[in-house]
Amino acid sequence: MNVLLVNPAYPQTFWSFNNVLKLTGKKALLPPLGLITVAALFPQTWNFKLSDLAFQTISEADWDWCDLVIVSGMAVQHRGIHETIREGKRRDKKVLVGGPWAFHVPEELLNAGADLVVVGEAETVMPEVLEAVEKGDFGKVIRSNGVADMEKSPPPRYDLLEIGSYVDVGLQFSRGCPFKCEFCDITLMLGRKVRTKTPEQVLAELDILHNLGWNRAVFFVDDNFVGNPSKAKHLLQELLPWLETRKRPFEFYTQASVNLAAQTENLDLMARCDFTRVFLGIETPDEESLRAAGKMQNVATDLDKACRTITEAGLEIIAGCILGFDNEKPGADQRLIEFAVRNQIPEMFVTLLQAGPGTELWHRLAREGRLVSIDCEHLSNQTGMINFIPTRSVRQIVSEFNNLYSVLYERRFYLDRALRHLLRMKPHEIPKPFQVPYPYEVKAVAIALIRHGLVYSSRWKFWECFFTLVRKNPVRLRNFLVYCVRYEHYSDFLTTIAEELQSQIASGNFSEEIFPLAGVQAPGA
């Protein structure tokens, strides 16, 4: 069969980096790892073509060529998923839908015209999917009854990518998370038992990327890279000699829980294996909110000490934070700003709390009669309103949210935190061999230098930071220039957030009612 794999486009999000893409001449941040993994699960006698609608289009020749269309995506891509179904059916093609959004709303997608909707991990249902496709048994939802054995998962079809169009590429080591945060749907979709590939599998995938000519950043997409500390340690121990024999072609970044700071050996190994950044689920410094959200691993951790330990080890931190928890006191924005200052974290990924379908938070709010509807495009995106009745004013929360971004990403404040963040890091124990920069990298840095060093009113702060690093930690100068390049995205995204939220407030499509939590018995509880 001829199979067309479709990754719908994204609206602008914290991760879209539109302006950075313009600076570098790249077309997308990351490729659709899920789709190229699915391609590896089908018979390899079939023919596959990937259309990443972040920068590609589906031609009529592509539509004519394919027998089967497979589309996957998240909530923010729901419009593109529906459009792909509609266009596929208009041309009388069979359309299969999977991925995170299909997990949550399978019946909606089936009613929209999809021929097959797969709920769960593809590895667990492939025999049933293949049988349905080959027999023409369509018009149904195929649900997984278990979780995948990651040790049997094949390498993704990286060869299907227009790989030079991406800033970074992704690789998956594990699925699942041992924790149970009320607002998170990861354990709902992937379970609490952390399952991993073997080090041999991961190194084989890195070999594929290396042989394809890739020699830049690789994102370990795991929701919690150290969810199984012993397995992570084993991988890192095997990864280190692999890197050394190949002259360290990659650098890595990933996501982790704050208990990474207590895993001294893993933290050291990550730094030695050229892990440079980690996304940490901080959520909030307010202990009451953490307890209410079930984020007990954070309650049990000194968050400031954890951030300091991770930064000193040599990893840049992106702090994931949330506004809008129940019983949150006014001034949550100021508390997060103070947290950013104490820990000198430049990149603060802050969202308004939203209840994702099927999460424990969703079910609790439904019982309490507090859920409200928002456009699915805004789920899991900074441009989206809270989708429930909070315990304080929506306008107050949104005002704090907008203020938080405008303060955190004021240029001087951002550059100063970037400088201090990098000064906290110990020197590299293992020098990374010099890599000749690509022309697009030289172009991006040159534009950033001109803007920050000459054009912007913050230019004196830029040069102060620049020469301070030259004197005190010159090996981190490259990191600082990358922060300057990334700033071009954040400065633009501030406006997008403010405009989108203001538009939703003006539309009146949200409740200004405040839920009086204390002493109220939830309906149906």
Side-chain angles (χ1 to χ4, degrees):
M1 296 190 75
N2 295 332
V3 182
L4 182 64
L5 307 163
V6 180
N7 181 44
Y10 292 82
Q12 189 178 18
T13 72
F14 187 92
W15 304 115
S16 56
F17 286 93
N18 296 357
N19 283 350
V20 175
L21 296 176
K22 291 175 185 176
L23 287 181
T24 61
K26 294 288 186 174
K27 299 175 182 177
L29 181 64
L30 285 162
L33 184 61
L35 280 170
I36 60 174
T37 299
V38 167
L41 294 167
F42 278 92
Q44 295 306 287
T45 53
W46 293 11
N47 303 306
F48 299 89
K49 181 180 290 187
L50 174 67
S51 286
D52 189 342
L53 302 187
F55 62 93
Q56 295 172 322
T57 58
I58 306 175
S59 67
E60 284 304 321
D62 292 334
W63 285 116
D64 292 340
W65 169 84
C66 71
D67 304 303
L68 176 68
V69 179
I70 300 178
V71 58
S72 174
M74 299 180 288
V76 294
Q77 295 169 284
H78 82 285
R79 287 192 178 131
I81 294 171
H82 279 267
E83 183 178 349
T84 301
I85 294 171
R86 186 168 56 251
E87 291 299 310
K89 297 313 297 176
R90 187 167 70 85
R91 294 169 173 83
D92 201 29
K93 303 297 180 180
K94 298 302 179 186
V95 181
L96 185 157
V97 187
W101 192 232
F103 182 94
H104 292 303
V105 293
E107 300 299 335
E108 172 191 306
L109 297 173
L110 198 64
N111 292 335
D115 295 285
L116 287 175
V117 180
V118 176
V119 175
E121 295 175 73
E123 291 94 338
T124 64
V125 295
M126 283 309 298
E128 191 175 352
V129 170
L130 283 170
E131 183 180 12
V133 171
E134 289 168 355
K135 291 184 176 180
D137 183 15
F138 296 116
K140 64 181 182 180
V141 176
I142 297 177
R143 299 179 185 272
S144 169
N145 290 321
V147 294
D149 181 349
M150 294 291 286
E151 295 188 9
K152 296 180 180 177
S153 189
R157 289 286 306 273
Y158 290 109
D159 59 295
L160 296 173
L161 301 176
E162 188 181 299
I163 199 166
S165 296
Y166 296 97
V167 176
D168 305 328
V169 297
L171 185 151
Q172 187 173 55
F173 166 56
S174 69
R175 293 180 194 162
C177 179
F179 302 113
K180 200 173 182 181
C181 306
E182 185 188 42
F183 53 82
C184 184
D185 65 356
I186 296 305
T187 52
L188 176 68
M189 292 190 291
L190 300 176
R192 294 184 65 186
K193 181 180 179 181
V194 178
R195 297 155 285 126
T196 70
K197 294 176 180 175
T198 65
E200 292 75 20
Q201 285 174 282
V202 173
L203 298 183
E205 292 183 26
L206 291 174
D207 273 326
I208 292 171
L209 289 171
H210 192 227
N211 292 337
L212 287 171
W214 186 259
N215 64 350
R216 287 304 188 259
V218 175
F219 174 36
F220 274 89
V221 304
D222 309 34
D223 295 291
N224 189 350
F225 180 76
V226 294
N228 187 321
S230 62
K231 292 287 185 71
K233 176 182 172 182
H234 187 201
L235 170 64
L236 292 166
Q237 289 171 330
E238 297 294 319
L239 177 58
L240 186 57
W242 185 95
L243 289 167
E244 289 172 344
T245 58
R246 289 161 180 79
K247 299 183 179 180
R248 298 178 169 269
F250 306 130
E251 62 181 36
F252 304 102
Y253 62 104
T254 192
Q255 306 175 115
S257 48
V258 294
N259 59 323
L260 167 64
Q263 298 178 25
T264 307
E265 194 168 359
N266 277 342
L267 191 55
D268 178 62
L269 281 167
M270 287 175 72
R272 292 171 64 197
C273 287
D274 296 328
F275 277 76
T276 59
R277 305 170 74 206
V278 61
F279 180 97
L280 285 183
I282 299 296
E283 319 316 348
T284 174
D286 299 344
E287 186 173 317
E288 183 181 352
S289 294
L290 291 172
R291 289 186 183 277
K295 195 91 179 181
M296 303 312 295
Q297 68 271 27
N298 285 32
V299 174
T301 302
D302 181 331
L303 296 178
D304 291 343
K305 183 179 179 182
C307 289
R308 184 166 59 252
T309 299
I310 292 168
T311 305
E312 288 175 355
L315 273 68
E316 300 171 27
I317 292 174
I318 306 172
C321 304
I322 296 174
L323 256 66
F325 288 107
D326 281 352
N327 284 331
E328 183 178 75
K329 302 295 189 296
D333 56 339
Q334 188 57 41
R335 292 191 292 278
L336 281 173
I337 291 167
E338 291 167 359
F339 177 85
V341 171
R342 286 197 307 274
N343 297 289
Q344 300 301 338
I345 298 175
E347 294 174 287
M348 298 283 285
F349 171 88
V350 189
T351 62
L352 293 171
L353 182 62
Q354 295 177 333
T359 60
E360 289 190 7
L361 177 62
W362 172 277
H363 288 300
R364 176 171 68 82
L365 294 172
R367 291 194 305 271
E368 295 171 356
R370 298 170 61 189
L371 287 175
V372 297
S373 176
I374 66 169
D375 188 322
C376 297
E377 181 179 303
H378 294 302
L379 278 174
S380 302
N381 195 354
Q382 289 74 20
T383 60
M385 292 290 296
I386 289 174
N387 64 339
F388 61 92
I389 301 168
T391 58
R392 61 186 179 117
S393 164
V394 171
R395 291 181 185 274
Q396 184 183 74
I397 296 170
V398 171
S399 175
E400 289 185 4
F401 183 70
N402 283 329
N403 180 62
L404 187 59
Y405 267 97
S406 64
V407 171
L408 288 173
Y409 291 100
E410 190 277 325
R411 268 193 304 272
R412 293 174 182 82
F413 191 29
Y414 172 84
L415 292 174
D416 190 68
R417 294 198 313 280
L419 167 67
R420 297 180 189 280
H421 196 57
L422 296 171
L423 288 176
R424 282 188 173 187
M425 296 179 180
K426 65 181 181 182
H428 288 293
E429 289 187 6
I430 305 173
K432 188 176 175 65
F434 175 74
Q435 285 184 320
V436 177
Y438 288 118
Y440 74 84
E441 294 171 321
V442 174
K443 172 190 171 187
V445 169
I447 293 173
L449 277 171
I450 291 170
R451 290 179 179 177
H452 285 273
L454 298 175
V455 177
Y456 294 150
S457 59
S458 56
R459 54 189 172 272
W460 298 116
K461 170 57 71 174
F462 168 81
W463 290 116
E464 175 191 332
C465 295
F466 184 94
F467 287 115
T468 300
L469 271 175
V470 169
R471 291 195 313 272
K472 295 185 176 181
N473 199 352
V475 75
R476 301 291 180 183
L477 188 59
R478 171 185 173 274
N479 305 65
F480 179 71
L481 294 175
V482 172
Y483 274 124
C484 292
V485 172
R486 286 201 290 262
Y487 180 79
E488 298 303 306
H489 162 67
Y490 298 131
S491 62
D492 184 56
F493 193 41
L494 297 182
T495 304
T496 300
I497 292 172
E499 290 177 350
E500 287 285 348
L501 292 177
Q502 185 57 44
S503 173
Q504 292 168 68
I505 290 175
S507 72
N509 293 329
F510 71 96
S511 175
E512 188 53 42
E513 181 182 353
I514 299 173
F515 190 78
L517 190 62
V520 173
Q521 177 69 26

